[in-house]
Amino acid sequence: MQGIGLSAKDLSVSYGDRPAVKKVSLDFAPKQVTALIGPSGCGKSTFLRSLNRMNDLIPNCTVTGEIWIRDQNINSPATDVVSLRQKIGMVWQRPNPFHKSIYENIAFGPRYHGVKKKKELDEIVEESLTKAALWEETKDRLHNSALALSGGQQQRLCIARSIAVKPDIILMDEPASALDPVSTAKIEELISELKREYCIIIVTHNMHQAARVSEKTAFFLMGEVMEYDSTNNIFTNPQRAETSDYITGRFG
Amino acid sequence: MSQSLDRQKAKPHLAEEWVGKIYTFLCILFLITTIFSIVYFVASKGLSTFIVNHVNVIDLLTGLKWLPDGEPALFGALPFIFGSFSTSILAACLAAPLGFCAAVFMVEISPKFGRKYLQPVIELLAGIPSVVYGFVGLSVIVPFFRDVFPGQGIGIAAGALVLSIMILPTITTIATDALAALPKGLKEGSYALGSTRWQTIYRIVLPTTLPALMTGIVLGIARAFGEALAVQMVIGNAPHIPRSLFESASTLTSAITLSMGNTAMGSLANNALWSLALILMLMTFVFVFIVRFLEGRSKL
């Protein structure tokens, strides 16, 4: 298959003695959206954060197992985490634009990865904002503060910012749960656009969202993957009782 | 029936509320009265130099000679003003980079070690009496400067160095708080774009917390500006503008503490010292306003 996907093998994460993710093995296909669903505290966000080694930043968090991209296990100590994170973008629940202008937010990544020419940066900024469906709204005020944007616009800016470093994979941790329905719809539309180029892994609490945007869905419970199948099957024909209980709202 | 019962019940609560209100009001009234009295007292004394003794304000602010007993008496406070500003600003220039780096180390690089050992040590620095700083300055820094640089060792350089150690806790503590209060998402956002820790600190953490860091510097300068004893011990107290950093000089505070006991209340020389105090006080107000302004900007 074309493009770059990612696969986790026996990935376990624990905070101190407390295991949060237990031996999870999942394959993520390129140019597809995979949704991770499950009740709060089931380990799906922790799992997601392990994929670009963000958990390295948390003291006493240990990640064991393998994460393969192409033929490289990125969960080994030899991996250059800095260049890895250029390949795997991330978007959080709360938009976190830097306290800089819109332009500088986008140019931040590329600039420190060696793009120096203003013309090239201009192109990257326009391209990224266009892909994030934000160009039309911001092209006349690129040098205004990013903090003046609305929450939904800020979130799209954060997506544009992660696209700007040309990643292969984008991780999204409940990217729309802090937004109003209109902004949420825009983000979902954007995700459907972006999957033509990127492998997208999205954690969501909103099951309708998972059903709308994703091709495959993994259901997490108590740190384990209960079921992983095409989204259609998960929502219409779940194999396990827990999955069906969760998606029909009987718990969680 | 129930109406009257409610009212009876409400009465003790009402009384309690009133007692609290009156008590806090009295406290604040006392505070405000004290502050206004001090301001009024210093201002009335300080201004009488100009109003009663008819000394020209411009002459006082720009005059180079301070001869209260001279014939005619001269009240040029510029050497003191210059000394105060140069020592405080130089002290801030020395302390600010140190303080920032210590804060970055404590928050970003090694929080465990920083919180456990560095922070208490720096807070301890703030508790050392200023006379001890002055004494150490006089017996260590001044002889060192005397050996290494031309001159007596005393002067603005020695004063600034002693002051920089004294204001280090202020700058470090404020910088540490500012760095610790930075939303975690911002740093993660930067890391997730493939930035190194240094790039994140340099490009995200420092610019975002800059107003708070500036607040720390200004508060440090304000503290240095008002410090009298330690500076007086190492600066030499000659009332003229020095030609080098290692030549005897004076500050507003050292001039006041040295001469206040030797002048008669109400005399011209005494009033002139009050004018120096007024300048000090007004400068402190300016610093407070600067801090207010910076704090307003840091609320993003």
Side-chain angles (χ1 to χ4, degrees):
Chain A
M1 200 182 286
Q2 269 191 347
I4 292 172
L6 181 148
S7 58
K9 280 200 178 65
D10 290 336
L11 197 75
S12 299
V13 188
S14 55
Y15 298 108
D17 303 333
R18 195 170 56 84
V21 175
K22 299 166 198 161
K23 293 213 174 235
V24 168
S25 298
L26 286 175
D27 292 324
F28 301 99
K31 302 188 183 183
Q32 250 190 18
V33 179
T34 308
L36 311 181
I37 60 170
S40 298
C42 67
K44 56 195 188 306
S45 286
T46 302
F47 174 78
L48 192 77
R49 289 173 52 91
S50 300
L51 299 181
N52 65 342
R53 301 276 301 266
M54 284 309 273
N55 282 338
D56 288 16
L57 301 173
I58 298 173
N60 77 39
C61 175
T62 43
V63 183
T64 55
E66 295 168 1
I67 303 164
W68 291 89
I69 295 180
R70 286 198 178 129
D71 49 0
Q72 196 191 0
N73 174 17
I74 60 158
N75 196 34
S76 81
T79 306
D80 174 9
V81 181
V82 167
S83 46
L84 164 73
R85 292 196 187 124
Q86 291 171 42
K87 292 286 149 207
I88 307 182
M90 187 159 194
V91 176
W92 281 263
Q93 178 177 6
R94 289 178 57 89
N96 54 354
F98 303 136
H99 297 202
K100 297 173 186 289
S101 68
I102 295 167
Y103 183 95
E104 284 302 322
N105 262 278
I106 309 289
F108 182 88
R111 180 169 285 155
Y112 298 114
H113 301 139
V115 182
K116 294 276 183 257
K117 286 194 192 121
K118 183 158 188 314
K119 205 172 151 241
E120 277 178 65
L121 281 174
D122 286 350
E123 279 167 14
I124 292 176
V125 169
E126 176 170 355
E127 192 193 326
S128 309
L129 284 172
T130 307
K131 278 189 188 169
L134 197 59
W135 175 250
E136 287 304 317
E137 293 157 65
T138 56
K139 64 180 176 189
D140 300 324
R141 45 175 179 152
L142 286 177
H143 296 283
N144 292 7
S145 170
L147 300 177
L149 297 172
S150 73
Q153 287 173 327
Q154 286 187 5
Q155 192 63 300
R156 275 179 282 151
L157 180 73
C158 291
I159 294 174
R161 189 174 72 184
S162 59
I163 296 172
V165 292
K166 303 194 166 37
D168 300 314
I169 298 154
I170 302 177
L171 311 176
M172 298 185 175
D173 193 351
E174 299 180 44
S177 65
L179 305 178
D180 64 90
V182 176
S183 305
T184 302
K186 280 190 178 163
I187 298 281
E188 287 179 10
E189 206 176 299
L190 179 56
I191 293 171
S192 308
E193 279 298 313
L194 291 175
K195 76 175 173 201
R196 294 183 194 179
E197 287 182 58
Y198 307 99
C199 164
I200 296 175
I201 306 171
I202 175 172
V203 163
T204 178
H205 271 295
N206 181 334
M207 271 168 292
H208 296 291
Q209 186 172 68
R212 279 193 297 263
V213 301
S214 70
E215 274 78 35
K216 294 189 89 173
T217 297
F219 172 59
F220 275 69
L221 188 65
M222 315 268 282
E224 286 173 84
V225 174
M226 285 287 134
E227 196 167 346
Y228 182 43
D229 205 342
S230 74
T231 301
N232 202 15
N233 279 350
I234 291 271
F235 282 96
T236 55
N237 186 21
Q239 299 300 305
R240 296 188 62 137
E242 294 94 333
T243 316
S244 128
D245 283 352
Y246 181 71
I247 59 175
T248 51
R250 246 170 272 171
F251 77 95
Chain B
M1 176 64 199
S2 74
Q3 188 87 28
S4 66
L5 207 137
D6 278 351
R7 203 175 288 168
Q8 266 176 356
K9 252 186 162 175
K11 258 184 188 166
H13 295 299
L14 228 87
E16 218 172 74
E17 294 285 1
W18 270 105
V19 169
K21 252 187 196 168
I22 290 169
Y23 178 67
T24 47
F25 177 74
L26 284 179
C27 289
I28 208 76
L29 193 69
F30 176 73
L31 259 176
I32 290 175
T33 318
T34 316
I35 292 166
F36 271 96
S37 313
I38 293 174
V39 173
Y40 174 77
F41 185 66
V42 175
S44 70
K45 285 278 194 181
L47 288 174
S48 62
T49 317
F50 313 118
I51 295 161
V52 180
N53 306 105
H54 303 292
V55 173
N56 192 325
V57 186
I58 308 293
D59 284 349
L60 187 118
L61 288 177
T62 59
L64 290 171
K65 282 219 155 61
W66 182 264
L67 292 168
D69 309 320
E71 198 58 54
L74 286 173
F75 297 98
L78 190 61
F80 304 138
I81 298 172
F82 173 82
S84 279
F85 273 103
S86 54
T87 46
S88 336
I89 289 170
L90 209 59
C93 291
L94 291 171
L98 268 176
F100 288 177
C101 292
V104 166
F105 183 81
M106 279 196 286
V107 179
E108 303 290 340
I109 315 266
S110 183
K112 253 187 187 165
F113 176 80
R115 291 259 172 238
K116 209 170 169 190
Y117 300 103
L118 246 121
Q119 195 148 19
V121 168
I122 285 168
E123 277 160 12
L124 218 63
L125 272 184
I128 298 174
S130 56
V131 66
V132 174
Y133 279 108
F135 199 49
V136 171
L138 192 61
S139 44
V140 178
I141 295 172
V142 170
F144 175 74
F145 279 172
R146 188 161 49 214
D147 293 345
V148 177
F149 298 102
Q152 292 297 306
I154 49 176
I156 287 177
L161 195 58
V162 169
L163 282 176
S164 70
I165 309 291
M166 294 180 75
I167 65 176
L168 194 59
T170 312
I171 294 181
T172 312
T173 310
I174 290 174
T176 309
D177 291 348
L179 295 184
L182 193 74
K184 208 171 118 232
L186 281 183
K187 273 186 273 175
E188 288 197 327
S190 170
Y191 284 127
L193 290 173
S195 304
T196 60
R197 185 153 75 174
W198 178 245
Q199 285 169 339
T200 303
I201 291 172
Y202 191 67
R203 299 290 171 189
I204 298 296
V205 175
L206 288 184
T208 314
T209 52
L210 195 63
L213 300 181
M214 293 305 289
T215 304
I217 296 182
V218 174
L219 281 175
I221 293 180
R223 165 137 163 67
F225 207 78
E227 173 55 39
L229 197 57
V231 183
Q232 185 201 317
M233 288 168 82
V234 298
I235 201 163
N237 303 307
H240 58 72
I241 296 182
R243 273 161 299 170
S244 91
L245 291 175
F246 305 99
E247 204 176 288
S248 181
S250 276
T251 64
L252 288 165
T253 48
S254 68
I256 295 171
T257 48
L258 273 181
S259 324
M260 202 48 127
N262 307 327
T263 55
M265 203 68 168
S267 68
L268 173 55
N270 187 271
N271 282 348
L273 290 180
W274 281 109
S275 300
L276 298 188
L278 182 62
I279 297 172
L280 262 177
M281 200 175 70
L282 292 178
M283 277 317 301
T284 314
F285 290 167
V286 170
F287 289 135
V288 171
F289 279 122
I290 295 175
V291 168
R292 281 282 161 129
F293 172 74
L294 288 172
E295 275 174 350
R297 281 194 40 187
S298 66
K299 279 177 202 120
L300 283 162

